[in-house]
Amino acid sequence: MQTELSNALGVEHAVFGFTPFPAVAAAITRAGGFGVLGAVRYTAPGELARDLDWMQEHTDGLPYGLDVVMPAKKVEAPDKQTLTEADVEAMIPEEHRRFVTEILDKYHVPQLAEGEASGWRITGWMEQVARTQLDVAFDYPIKLLANALGSPPPDVVRRAHDHGILVAALAGSPRHARHHKAAGIDIVVAQGYEAGGHTGEIATMVLTPEVVAAVDPLPVLAAGGIGTGEQIAAGLALGAQGVWLGSLWLTTEEAELHSRRLTAKLLAAGPGDTVRSRALTGKPARQLRTDWTDAWDDPSGPGPLPMPLQGLLVAEANSRIQRHEVEPLLGTPVGQIVGRMTSERSVQAVFDDLTRGFERAIDRINRIAGRSQP
């Protein structure tokens, strides 16, 4: 599974693995792929530095990258001044706060213990937080900086290039991809509708070749609904120079979900058990369908707020749901490939399976083309 891009980056397989868990990212890199650590959950620079130190110690000198979230569109003050977290909190309507309380009361979700932090507050969706993450990251030998929501600001692209770091951006349409190319992005990730997390409305099979044509000669990674070696072969056949996998790692042994009930829900879910909902962040993001997503998508309710208001609004509620494993409400971002995630395996075992599937697909194509070896 080698391409011009994987060779340029010095990795054995053209498999880019996005994950919020350092142990998974490091294992992806050690297995011959390219691990990409998601930074959005880090609210303090010291936390990110600690985990990047750990990555340095556990990647055997092999390359890895970092994914940040810098929304192209964001909530701003009327005078365009930078908003603090408190400023954004003050913009949340009381009606929405009451709605959250009603859902939690309906399902008897316990409070957090006294003094227990509410956990991840999704402040990483705010540009100034992402910039503090970059101030830390640029002190480490990362080889790739990816942005999940549009092209990073021009000064960020310049800083990355000055450090010899390639910049990638996710695109859900050819129009987005052309914008990335004009912004000086090095790699475009064509993320289809099937993917977990934030997605557009075009399926991977349609999107990938259109993005390849739109940004030629930039390398493209295919993403969304990919979780087998056969699908990797299909992505490369469509013109991609690699694949971007995220959901597949959630049920690996190295993942740190800290919830057996959530893991069990993922292992039992089929491809039809996900939904694109704005309930988590305010932007459409594919996730497990739960009573929580149903409540937010119900037209009789107030509806989700825009990013980052929604993320701040539901942060403590999500922490309570996860801490107490309230099963009807318990979910996570995940793509339609969840139907293939039926057992807990090591990252290396996943790579072994991907490699075997890729070889089967190539052999099959060679037989169809009359090129099979005796």
Side-chain angles (χ1 to χ4, degrees):
M1 297 186 288
Q2 293 181 337
T3 65
E4 183 179 347
L5 177 61
S6 65
N7 289 334
L9 287 169
V11 295
E12 183 179 358
H13 304 301
V15 175
F16 294 71
F18 164 80
T19 173
F21 307 124
V24 176
I28 290 168
T29 286
R30 292 197 306 272
F34 191 100
V36 181
L37 177 65
V40 71
R41 71 191 180 105
Y42 295 98
T43 58
E47 295 173 355
L48 179 59
R50 176 202 64 208
D51 282 357
L52 288 177
D53 284 338
W54 190 92
M55 289 282 292
Q56 279 293 103
E57 296 172 3
H58 293 83
T59 48
D60 301 334
L62 298 168
Y64 63 92
L66 190 74
D67 179 278
V68 298
V69 176
M70 304 184 82
K73 295 180 180 179
K74 53 184 180 289
V75 175
E76 293 182 316
D79 58 4
K80 302 298 182 181
Q81 293 295 313
T82 299
L83 293 173
T84 66
E85 183 179 337
D87 294 331
V88 177
E89 285 266 17
M91 299 170 67
I92 297 174
E94 189 59 35
E95 175 190 16
H96 286 75
R97 296 186 188 278
R98 285 196 302 269
F99 187 67
V100 170
T101 299
E102 290 168 1
I103 299 173
L104 297 177
D105 288 348
K106 177 180 177 180
Y107 290 89
H108 308 290
V109 181
Q111 297 282 345
L112 295 174
E114 184 176 353
E116 183 178 356
S118 62
W120 176 35
R121 289 185 52 75
I122 318 187
T123 53
W125 307 115
M126 301 173 69
E127 182 177 315
Q128 62 267 36
V129 176
R131 286 184 177 276
T132 64
Q133 294 167 347
L134 293 177
D135 289 339
V136 172
F138 286 144
D139 287 335
Y140 291 82
I142 62 173
K143 300 301 182 184
L144 177 72
L145 174 66
N147 189 40
L149 292 174
S151 302
D155 67 297
V156 171
V157 176
R158 287 194 298 270
R159 283 185 69 191
H161 288 166
D162 288 345
H163 284 81
I165 300 169
L166 296 178
V167 180
L170 277 64
S173 73
R175 177 175 60 85
H176 292 156
R178 285 189 289 269
H179 176 78
H180 295 338
K181 182 179 181 181
I185 301 303
D186 304 293
I187 302 169
V188 177
V189 182
Q191 180 167 272
Y193 173 84
E194 305 94 324
H198 297 107
T199 75
E201 298 182 352
I202 305 175
T204 304
M205 181 67 73
V206 175
L207 179 65
T208 301
E210 292 209 6
V211 170
V212 169
V215 302
D216 184 61
L218 292 186
V220 172
L221 303 178
I226 300 175
T228 68
E230 289 86 350
Q231 290 169 315
I232 294 174
L236 300 188
L238 293 173
Q241 288 202 32
V243 293
W244 178 276
L245 309 184
S247 298
L248 193 63
W249 316 111
L250 287 173
T251 54
T252 56
E253 295 170 355
E254 293 88 347
E256 303 161 27
L257 284 181
H258 303 303
S259 171
R260 297 307 304 171
R261 289 184 179 177
L262 180 54
T263 298
K265 289 184 76 169
L266 289 169
L267 294 175
D273 294 326
T274 68
V275 62
R276 281 175 78 244
S277 171
R278 294 168 53 217
L280 180 62
T281 69
K283 286 184 177 291
R286 185 171 297 284
Q287 54 203 283
L288 277 181
R289 182 175 181 177
T290 65
D291 288 3
W292 177 261
T293 62
D294 285 349
W296 281 103
D297 295 339
D298 189 331
S300 67
L305 296 167
M307 180 182 282
L309 300 181
Q310 182 71 12
L312 291 173
L313 168 67
V314 304
E316 182 177 338
N318 282 327
S319 292
R320 289 168 59 183
I321 292 166
Q322 293 165 11
R323 171 67 178 83
H324 298 288
E325 296 189 288
V326 183
E327 192 164 350
L329 305 177
L330 190 62
T332 184
V334 68
Q336 292 179 330
I337 196 63
V338 69
R340 298 297 297 262
M341 296 156 52
T342 57
S343 64
E344 292 184 75
R345 300 176 293 166
S346 68
V347 168
Q348 183 61 63
V350 171
F351 263 90
D352 292 343
D353 189 53
L354 294 175
T355 301
R356 287 191 293 268
F358 183 82
E359 291 172 347
R360 286 194 300 269
I362 297 303
D363 288 344
R364 185 180 302 121
I365 294 300
N366 281 335
R367 288 196 302 273
I368 293 171
R371 297 173 182 162
S372 57
Q373 297 297 316

